[in-house]
Amino acid sequence: AQKVTQAQTEISVVEKEDVTLDCVYETRDTTYYLFWYKQPPSGELVFLIRRNSFDEQNEISGRYSWNFQKSTSSFNFTITASQVVDSAVYFCALSAITSYDKVIFGPGTSLSVIP
Amino acid sequence: EPEVTQTPSHQVTQMGQEVILRCVPISNHLYFYWYRQILGQKVEFLVSFYNNEISEKSEIFDDQFSVERPDGSNFTLKIRSTKLEDSAMYFCASKEGTLDEILAKNIQYFGAGTRLSVL
C-alpha cells in the first residue's frame, strides 16, 4: 500500500523565518515519484516539484529547497525567508510506477506566514 | 503557459439532481483524471481515463459517477443523483502521453477546481 504522511497539520511562522514542511512516504515500489503541490486560499493546486526515486539530489529553486532521503523515506520542503504569499496548504504526494496513474496525496500542512 | 480549465468554478445543486462538471485538459495531454477534496481534507483520487476508457478508479467512484470525453477537448464528470456527501471541490488533471514523457516527468497538472455544493 502507498501512503503519505505529513505530521504537521498547521504551522505558523513570522515573515522572514525559515520553515520546513515534513513528508514521509510509504511504498513497496522501487520506482516512484514524489511531488509537492501548493494550494493557496483561492483553492487551486499548483505543482511545485517532482522527484523520481532514482534522483536523490537535493534541489533549490529560489527560496524553496527540497531534501529527498530514501533511507528515511522522507521528502522535506524548506522555505527560506518566508513571505506572506507563502501562506497556503502544502501537499506532499506520491505516484508509484505500478500505479502511476494515481497520485496519493498526504493530508496537507497549512502554513500561515504572519507579517 | 497552457493550463487545465474547469467550469463552472462553483456549482450549487439540489440533492438528487444530476450535475456535470467540465474540464478542458492541456491540449497535447492524453491522460485525464478527476480528484475530489472534501472541505478541509486531503485530495482523493477518483478516476483516470486514457484512450477513451477508464484505466483506474477508486472505491469512491461508484455507479453514480461517470466520465466522458465527448469531443477532442472536453473531459466531463457526471454525478447522476447527487448526495449531500458529494459536496466537495472537484479537480480535473491531465498528463502528457508518451511513455518517455511519463517516465521522465509523470506530472499531473491540475485545474483550479469546481466547488460543488449539494443542498
Side-chain angles (χ1 to χ4, degrees):
Chain A
Q2 292 144 26
K3 187 179 175 182
V4 177
T5 302
Q6 295 177 256
Q8 304 147 309
T9 308
E10 294 181 12
I11 300 177
S12 286
V13 297
V14 176
E15 204 172 16
K16 296 185 184 171
E17 284 185 350
D18 299 347
V19 58
T20 294
L21 310 182
D22 297 333
C23 172
V24 173
Y25 62 91
E26 293 175 32
T27 179
R28 291 186 187 150
D29 287 84
T30 55
T31 301
Y32 51 88
Y33 304 86
L34 296 164
F35 309 86
W36 277 95
Y37 286 88
K38 175 183 179 180
Q39 186 175 41
S42 48
E44 71 270 27
L45 283 169
V46 179
F47 166 78
L48 295 177
I49 190 172
R50 177 204 65 93
R51 262 280 171 272
N52 72 47
S53 51
F54 298 116
D55 182 3
E56 285 194 72
Q57 263 191 329
N58 291 328
E59 181 158 338
I60 298 174
S61 175
R63 296 184 297 107
Y64 295 170
S65 62
W66 291 270
N67 184 336
F68 175 30
Q69 294 204 340
K70 238 169 149 174
S71 59
T72 56
S73 298
S74 65
F75 186 43
N76 296 337
F77 173 29
T78 297
I79 303 174
T80 56
S82 58
Q83 299 176 0
V84 173
V85 293
D86 296 327
S87 296
V89 179
Y90 290 86
F91 292 97
C92 181
L94 164 71
S95 174
I97 195 67
T98 55
S99 178
Y100 62 84
D101 252 4
K102 184 192 305 187
V103 176
I104 306 296
F105 284 81
T109 296
S110 177
L111 173 65
S112 298
V113 180
I114 304 163
Chain B
E1 186 168 325
E3 58 182 24
V4 177
T5 306
Q6 289 187 244
T7 56
S9 57
H10 189 191
Q11 173 96 44
V12 181
T13 190
Q14 295 289 328
M15 191 170 58
Q17 294 294 306
E18 174 183 286
V19 293
I20 297 176
L21 309 183
R22 302 180 192 279
C23 169
V24 178
I26 296 173
S27 63
N28 64 334
H29 287 189
L30 299 180
Y31 290 81
F32 313 112
Y33 308 86
W34 285 100
Y35 289 78
R36 179 181 83 175
Q37 184 184 30
I38 293 171
L39 186 64
Q41 298 186 23
K42 65 180 176 183
V43 180
E44 301 172 288
F45 169 81
L46 289 179
V47 66
S48 58
F49 190 86
Y50 170 71
N51 201 25
N52 280 320
E53 60 183 30
I54 290 174
S55 45
E56 190 169 355
K57 61 183 180 180
S58 71
E59 56 276 7
I60 302 169
F61 194 88
D62 61 21
D63 292 344
Q64 292 297 312
F65 292 88
S66 62
V67 289
E68 193 178 33
R69 188 151 163 84
D71 53 43
S73 59
N74 290 285
F75 179 51
T76 62
L77 173 69
K78 184 194 292 187
I79 308 175
R80 222 178 316 277
S81 176
T82 50
K83 303 187 275 267
L84 295 176
E85 53 265 38
D86 293 327
S87 295
M89 181 79 100
Y90 288 82
F91 291 101
C92 173
S94 69
K95 185 170 75 176
E96 294 183 51
T98 66
L99 185 58
D100 284 346
E101 287 167 330
I102 291 168
L103 292 176
K105 297 181 184 176
N106 197 36
I107 300 169
Q108 294 185 19
Y109 293 92
F110 287 78
T114 292
R115 182 166 298 286
L116 176 65
S117 299
V118 182
L119 306 178

